[in-house]
């Protein structure tokens, strides 16, 4: 979390938030690129010990300069749409470092794989594999299975349970193998399963790795060597310092996953595949702080509401998942005489952002800072009520610059027919 200066003002990567607000306005998503870099380096170092490949799930926060930085730091990139692919291409990411994901892929997305705009495509459906096999495909094939692992996380972000749309049901694995063997165009390289998001328990990843290795055996028997076993992302983070039980012990989990894959391969008598992970949130969430200004403070029947100049449109996570981002006054520490209030956005929905403790004399216009907003906020933002998307800045080494400028009001109209 950002630190406070001697006068109580929050600073992000050494830059005072009042200076950032003065320069860029609010709402503002500030990304601490020093922290992002540190998280990436720590993860890569832990992965290097086990030869684990790391691809950043771009959907968490997908901006040209951020993807460029991610690749410079040594990450590969996962994309799941043409828009994300174009972002990576504009960032200069080499195709070999890109993997195309997605459920219900469009013809354009499959064409991108055929043409080698990505090095790997993760096939999510039997019919998709059939379509790909009809012509030359430059991208390597990884097949995603739904391993049915129940991860203890919010149901809305569980993607590997039995009852979600993601991956191929194991009952269809025979068809997958027949298709792979039947097409000279399909260069099979491995298996994939992603069990969900915000998972703190490494046992979910271990169970997933075991399930993938069980699936690997019949493939190997038919000459379809599983060179890569990608166990997904979903590494949990602590949204507040008190919620440390929400944070996955990453080095411990990586060691457990690597050991599981190695031991299962030995027991099954097959070559151990290279393990791959694809984290998003754990790398970028903590680096993000959203700066708001208070628009209104309202004492209603039983609660006090603090209305800020952001909300549902720039951070749908509270509405979608019940996520709570700790939020505090940015210009001064919240003292003992603080009061309890409810933080709200200013859209025309009941867009409560969660409980907040604020100075009892909080004033309209004062800045607030919401923490851990780097992942799945801006990338999920919309234009409800025709509010423009906020600016995103990168802060590092005492300096700051735009990663994405604020959308203009005029841009909100640019897709409308004139009459
Ligand atoms: C979303 C997603 C990820 C990243 O999830 P995080 O919770 O951000 O780590 C990784 N792999 C796949 C297939 C995903 O859909």
């Amino acid at each position: 979390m950002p630190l406070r200066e001697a006068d109580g003002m929050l600073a992000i990567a050494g830059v005072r938030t009042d200076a950032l607000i003065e320069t860029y306005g609010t709402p503002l998503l500030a990304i601490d690129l020093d922290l992002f870099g540190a998280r990436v380096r720590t993860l890569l170092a832990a992965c290097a010990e086990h030869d684990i490949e790391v691809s950043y799930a771009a959907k968490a926060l997908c901006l040209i300069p951020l993807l460029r930085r991610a690749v410079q730091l040594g990450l590969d990139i996962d994309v799941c749409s043409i828009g994300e692919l174009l972002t990576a291409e504009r960032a200069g990411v080499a195709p070999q470092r890109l993997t195309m994901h997605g459920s219900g892929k469009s013809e354009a997305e499959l064409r991108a794989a055929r043409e080698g705009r990505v090095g790997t495509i993760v096939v999510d459906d039997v019919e998709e594999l059939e379509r790909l096999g009809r012509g030359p495909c430059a991208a390597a094939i990884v097949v995603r299975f739904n391993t049915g692992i129940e991860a203890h996380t919010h149901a809305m972000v569980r993607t590997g349970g039995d009852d979600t749309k993601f991956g191929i049901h194991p009952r269809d694995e025979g068809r997958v193998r027949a298709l792979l063997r039947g097409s000279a165009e399909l260069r099979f390289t491995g298996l994939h399963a992603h069990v969900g998001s915000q998972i703190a328990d490494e046992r979910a990843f271990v169970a997933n790795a075991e399930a993938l290795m069980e699936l690997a055996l019949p493939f190997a028997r038919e000459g379809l060597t599983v060179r890569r076993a990608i166990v997904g992302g979903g590494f949990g983070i602590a949204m507040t310092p008190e919620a440390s039980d929400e944070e996955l012990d990453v080095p411990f989990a990586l060691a457990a996953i690597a050991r599981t894959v190695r031991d299962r391969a030995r027991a099954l008598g097959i070559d151990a595949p290279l393990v791959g992970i694809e984290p998003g949130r754990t790398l970028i969430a903590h680096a993000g702080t959203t700066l708001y200004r208070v628009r209104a403070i309202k004492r209603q029947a039983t609660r006090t509401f603090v209305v800020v100049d952001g909300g549902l449109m720039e951070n749908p996570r509270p509405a979608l998942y019940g996520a709570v981002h700790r939020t505090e006054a940015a210009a001064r520490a919240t003292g003992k005489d603080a009061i309890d209030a409810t933080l709200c956005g200013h859209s025309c929905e009941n867009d409560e952002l969660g409980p907040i403790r604020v100075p009892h004399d909080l004033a309209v216009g004062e800045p607030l800072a919401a923490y851990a907003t780097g992942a799945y906020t801006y990338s999920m933002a919309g234009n409800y009520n025709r509010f423009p998307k906020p600016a995103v800045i990168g802060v590092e080494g005492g300096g700051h610059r735009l990663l994405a400028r604020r959308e203009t009001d005029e841009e909100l109209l640019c897709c409308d027919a004139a009459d």
Side-chain angles (χ1 to χ4, degrees):
M1 292 206 309
L3 300 174
R4 289 190 188 272
E5 304 276 279
D7 64 354
M9 182 67 62
L10 275 178
I12 295 168
V15 182
R16 290 169 62 90
T17 48
D18 52 351
L20 296 176
I21 289 173
E22 164 118 24
T23 307
Y24 302 103
T26 54
L28 177 68
L29 174 57
I31 302 292
D32 180 338
L33 291 172
D34 291 333
L35 182 56
F36 175 63
R39 303 249 337 167
V40 172
R41 282 188 208 97
T42 304
L43 182 71
L44 287 176
C47 286
E49 287 184 33
H50 309 285
D51 248 352
I52 294 175
E53 297 180 321
V54 190
S55 198
Y56 168 63
K59 67 179 191 209
L61 182 62
C62 186
L63 296 166
I64 295 168
L66 189 83
L67 296 193
R68 187 172 294 144
R69 176 61 60 89
V71 166
Q72 283 166 354
L73 288 165
L75 296 167
D76 290 344
I77 306 287
D78 277 14
V79 296
C80 60
S81 67
I82 293 296
E84 288 185 1
L85 174 59
L86 284 170
T87 311
E89 288 176 338
R90 208 63 64 85
V93 184
Q96 277 317 310
R97 302 186 70 168
L98 293 174
T99 294
M100 173 67 81
H101 270 280
S103 186
K105 291 190 191 68
S106 68
E107 198 43 51
E109 286 155 3
L110 295 185
R111 200 180 320 122
R114 285 200 199 95
E115 293 172 352
R117 287 170 68 189
V118 293
T120 302
I121 180 165
V122 177
V123 174
D124 188 66
D125 175 36
V126 178
E127 204 253 328
E128 191 180 303
L129 190 62
E130 233 168 348
R131 278 155 75 201
L132 267 181
R134 287 189 204 128
C137 180
I141 306 285
V142 165
V143 180
R144 177 171 182 173
F145 279 99
N146 186 326
T147 50
I149 307 303
E150 287 260 328
H152 294 281
T153 180
H154 194 285
M156 295 292 277
V157 287
R158 183 186 302 149
T159 58
D162 267 327
D163 213 17
T164 66
K165 68 176 180 179
F166 294 103
I168 295 171
H169 194 279
R171 84 169 90 77
D172 292 330
E173 51 117 3
R175 285 177 65 203
V176 169
R177 283 185 277 119
L179 282 168
L180 289 170
R181 279 183 298 129
S183 168
E185 314 286 2
L186 298 172
R187 189 160 46 89
F188 173 74
T189 58
L191 301 178
H192 174 287
H194 166 77
V195 287
S197 204
Q198 187 60 349
I199 300 165
D201 188 341
E202 83 289 344
R203 288 172 301 180
F205 295 99
V206 168
N208 191 41
E210 277 171 355
L212 272 184
M213 293 308 290
E214 295 306 320
L215 281 162
L217 183 61
F219 281 77
R221 281 202 181 125
E222 295 189 7
L224 296 162
T225 307
V226 177
R227 293 180 214 288
R228 302 162 70 193
I230 304 176
V231 297
F235 297 6
I237 62 153
M239 290 293 287
T240 60
E242 300 82 53
S244 57
D245 59 329
E246 291 174 359
E247 184 105 14
L248 179 73
D249 182 339
V250 174
F252 184 69
L254 293 174
I257 294 165
R259 193 180 333 109
T260 302
V261 168
R262 205 176 47 235
D263 291 353
R264 295 304 297 151
R266 192 179 305 122
L268 295 167
I270 61 177
D271 289 340
L274 215 56
V275 175
I277 58 168
E278 40 194 28
R281 183 193 316 276
T282 191
L283 295 177
I284 192 69
H286 281 308
T289 302
T290 302
L291 298 172
Y292 298 118
R293 268 180 294 206
V294 174
R295 280 284 177 75
I297 301 163
K298 304 180 67 174
R299 287 180 225 297
Q300 302 294 57
T302 60
R303 289 191 286 169
T304 298
F305 291 87
V306 174
V307 181
V308 294
D309 53 1
L312 176 67
M313 52 291 189
E314 51 81 35
N315 182 3
R317 299 189 69 250
L320 204 52
Y321 308 127
V324 176
H325 294 267
R326 173 173 295 183
T327 305
E328 295 178 337
R332 48 183 170 148
T334 307
K336 289 210 171 55
D337 54 355
I339 57 163
D340 289 316
T342 299
L343 188 67
C344 281
H346 77 135
S347 79
C348 295
E349 276 291 309
N350 225 337
D351 58 352
E352 294 187 12
L353 298 170
I356 183 173
R357 280 185 70 72
V358 289
H360 70 278
D361 57 347
L362 184 78
V364 168
E366 263 198 70
L368 301 182
Y371 302 129
T373 57
Y376 304 108
T377 57
Y378 185 80
S379 64
M380 282 191 169
N383 292 118
Y384 179 55
N385 287 158
R386 294 224 142 166
F387 288 117
K389 293 212 186 87
V392 187
I393 58 167
V395 191
E396 62 185 321
H400 49 87
R401 69 187 171 107
L402 278 176
L403 299 180
R405 66 163 170 75
R406 188 176 305 283
E407 210 169 17
T408 66
D409 291 332
E410 208 44 48
E411 279 167 330
L412 293 168
L413 313 183
C414 68
C415 295
D416 292 20
D419 62 1

